[in-house]
Amino acid sequence: MTDSSATVRPDRHAELAAGLAQVRSRVDDACARAGRDRAEVTMIAVTKTYPASDVVALAGLGVTDMGENRDQEAAGKAAEVAAAGVRPRWHFIGQLQRNKARSVVRYADVVHSVDSVRLARALATATADRQAPLDALIQVSIDGDAARGGALPDSADPGSGLEPVAEAVADAPGLRLVGLMAVAPLGWEPERAFARLAEVADAFRAVHPGATALSAGMSGDFEIAIRYGATHVRVGSALLGMRPTLR
């Protein structure tokens, strides 16, 4: 039975259905232009700042994957959605502080933003009580600006180089290394950013052939990300409308 606090208004349900139809059409067209199988691309509905009722409604419309980027919001929302009898696949996509690792692993199925050996170890410790491994993607810094988050692909730094972070994830029994994630750097055209990411991903898979996931692209640029091999696109405003102001 659905909790009343997670019940969506009919007009909101219609808005979400229309947004979903448009996004699905865009994904379909992008896959066709890229010569890719539509089944290769997962759309993650980025529900940060939106209520649990939107998550429940999207699940009812067939959306299986939801994304959040702030634990202080996501933890409560995930619990509210679960209380409504809905269990989507939760993706944590924001920068993650080590002291939030234990909270995040309680509800997240996937973490997209592992960018240091210390964070990988914190997540590994936090997953000790999980029954299933936590899927982990390593966030890559395309432009080398570590201040914005991301492991450095051309660095052997033992704490933040891409390969040391990958090894830390791969060696942790509670984690499963599934791929890479990136955000287009400020000031970079999406074409340049995702072309660079594709190069990094190709080299990474040569060493880690099982890590085939590539999380890239948002509402305004996911078609380009799909052209360059994205397997997961993170869609917020194009699906849910203009985002409420963060408080």
Side-chain angles (χ1 to χ4, degrees):
M1 184 173 68
T2 300
D3 185 272
S4 60
S5 65
T7 301
V8 69
R9 306 183 318 271
D11 58 331
R12 179 57 174 161
H13 189 276
E15 291 173 358
L16 293 172
L20 179 59
Q22 291 178 354
V23 170
R24 282 176 168 165
S25 178
R26 287 175 59 188
V27 174
D28 290 348
D29 290 347
C31 288
R33 288 193 299 270
R36 296 183 59 192
D37 184 343
R38 173 64 180 84
E40 295 176 0
V41 179
T42 297
M43 185 206 71
I44 301 169
V46 180
T47 53
K48 63 179 184 181
T49 76
Y50 295 99
S53 58
D54 280 358
V55 176
V56 172
L58 287 170
L61 291 166
V63 178
T64 57
D65 294 77
M66 310 292 175
E68 291 283 331
N69 76 337
R70 297 195 307 166
D71 175 64
Q72 56 265 46
E73 175 188 352
K77 187 183 299 182
E80 189 175 352
V81 170
V86 176
R87 298 192 178 277
R89 183 169 171 82
W90 286 106
H91 298 251
F92 190 86
I93 60 177
Q95 283 190 288
L96 177 58
Q97 296 175 324
R98 295 192 305 280
N99 63 1
K100 296 292 186 179
R102 191 167 298 279
S103 176
V104 168
V105 303
R106 291 192 181 105
Y107 58 85
D109 301 286
V110 191
V111 171
H112 289 230
S113 49
V114 182
D115 62 356
S116 71
V117 169
R118 294 177 72 187
L119 177 56
R121 289 172 177 165
L123 287 168
T125 299
T127 57
D129 296 329
R130 282 177 63 102
Q131 294 183 337
L134 177 72
D135 285 352
L137 289 86
I138 299 175
Q139 182 175 349
V140 175
S141 173
I142 296 175
D143 60 357
D145 183 1
R148 297 187 63 232
L152 304 174
D154 299 321
S155 172
D157 184 286
S160 60
L162 176 56
E163 190 52 35
V165 177
E167 291 176 359
V169 172
D171 290 344
L175 304 179
R176 180 165 50 207
L177 177 62
V178 297
L180 301 178
M181 183 274 267
V183 178
L186 295 174
W188 282 45
E189 291 296 324
E191 185 99 17
R192 177 188 177 197
F194 298 135
R196 169 59 178 151
L197 177 60
E199 293 175 355
V200 174
D202 284 345
F204 188 74
R205 289 176 189 140
V207 181
H208 303 279
T212 58
L214 188 62
S215 173
M218 296 184 286
S219 289
D221 59 16
F222 68 72
E223 287 97 340
I224 300 172
I226 288 172
R227 191 196 320 158
Y228 283 98
T231 63
H232 293 71
V233 294
R234 310 179 300 268
V235 184
S237 59
L239 175 61
L240 291 115
M242 294 302 294
R243 191 174 303 285
T245 302
L246 288 171
R247 292 188 297 274

